[in-house]
Amino acid sequence: MSGDKERPAGSPSAGEPALLVVGKIRRPHGVAGEALVEVYTDFPERLVPNMVVFVGEAHQPLRIQRYRTHKNGFLLAFEGITTPEQVGHLRNQLLYIPAVDRPPLPEGEYYHHGRAVTYHHQILGLSVVDEKGQELGKLTEILETGANDVYVVKRSDGTELLLPAISEVVLDVDLPRKTMRVHLLPGLVEEETNDE
């Protein structure tokens, strides 16, 4: 239903590679077609010239021509993009790399938004439990918002619980046991029951 209109990164249709978010294109920089990119990855040095990355929900493939760090982010130049106006069309689009290009992580770590967490398709379907181990429901959808993602948890009574994907809420993810342990901030459950 609502999941059909907004496909999260990393839940590709059959045959497509899983993608990992590594950043967000913020704005043009200078006059030569460079893009200022906000970093969402712990491994920005993996973005190298000639690497193909994918931009936006359409996963438009672009080849990196130049890469350099800049303040809290980095600057990318893409082949075929030479003006600030062309970069402007990519503004606020997420930047993805194929999941196979990710560096391996130690056991117990996972990927999320390029940082140490998981691909969305690996956490969809997890059982969500509170700190006492009481099951809250199943993680059925991931909504991408500006600041952080929101996890949609389908409860046994059919209602949905929306959990912000922040460290204060998501305590840990146990992929082998298929569980996510969360801390419910005050008001989260009440807000959702009144929402319907």
Side-chain angles (χ1 to χ4, degrees), residues 21-167:
V21 179
V22 292
K24 182 182 240 185
I25 296 175
R26 281 303 181 192
R27 57 180 172 77
H29 179 84
V31 294
E34 280 187 310
L36 178 65
V37 178
E38 180 181 345
V39 180
Y40 285 179
T41 176
D42 292 328
F43 313 102
E45 68 278 0
R46 295 184 66 84
L47 298 170
V48 294
N50 288 320
M51 179 181 192
V52 174
V53 294
F54 300 89
V55 177
E57 286 184 10
H59 300 158
Q60 175 188 353
L62 291 174
R63 187 176 297 277
I64 296 175
Q65 192 171 53
R66 287 188 316 279
Y67 163 90
R68 61 191 174 108
T69 57
H70 178 77
K71 296 184 182 170
N72 295 329
F74 51 92
L75 297 171
L76 287 181
F78 302 106
E79 283 184 13
I81 293 185
T82 56
T83 68
E85 291 74 28
Q86 288 174 298
V87 175
H89 293 302
L90 306 175
R91 186 189 294 265
N92 294 325
Q93 300 284 331
L94 292 175
L95 191 66
Y96 304 90
I97 62 169
V100 292
D101 289 343
R102 69 176 180 165
L105 286 177
E107 190 177 343
E109 287 193 36
Y110 58 104
Y111 279 103
H112 180 69
H113 259 324
R115 300 201 180 276
V117 275
T118 196
Y119 305 114
H120 288 170
H121 72 279
Q122 287 180 288
I123 59 176
L124 287 171
L126 292 185
S127 290
V128 179
V129 299
D130 65 16
E131 292 159 292
K132 298 174 186 145
Q134 180 179 341
E135 182 157 349
L136 299 170
K138 294 264 189 244
L139 199 160
T140 58
E141 191 176 355
I142 299 167
L143 306 176
E144 289 184 1
T145 66
N148 53 264
D149 288 353
V150 173
Y151 295 154
V152 180
V153 178
K154 181 79 87 176
R155 308 179 82 182
S156 56
D157 63 2
T159 61
E160 290 182 341
L161 175 63
L162 302 182
L163 299 175
I166 55 176
S167 57

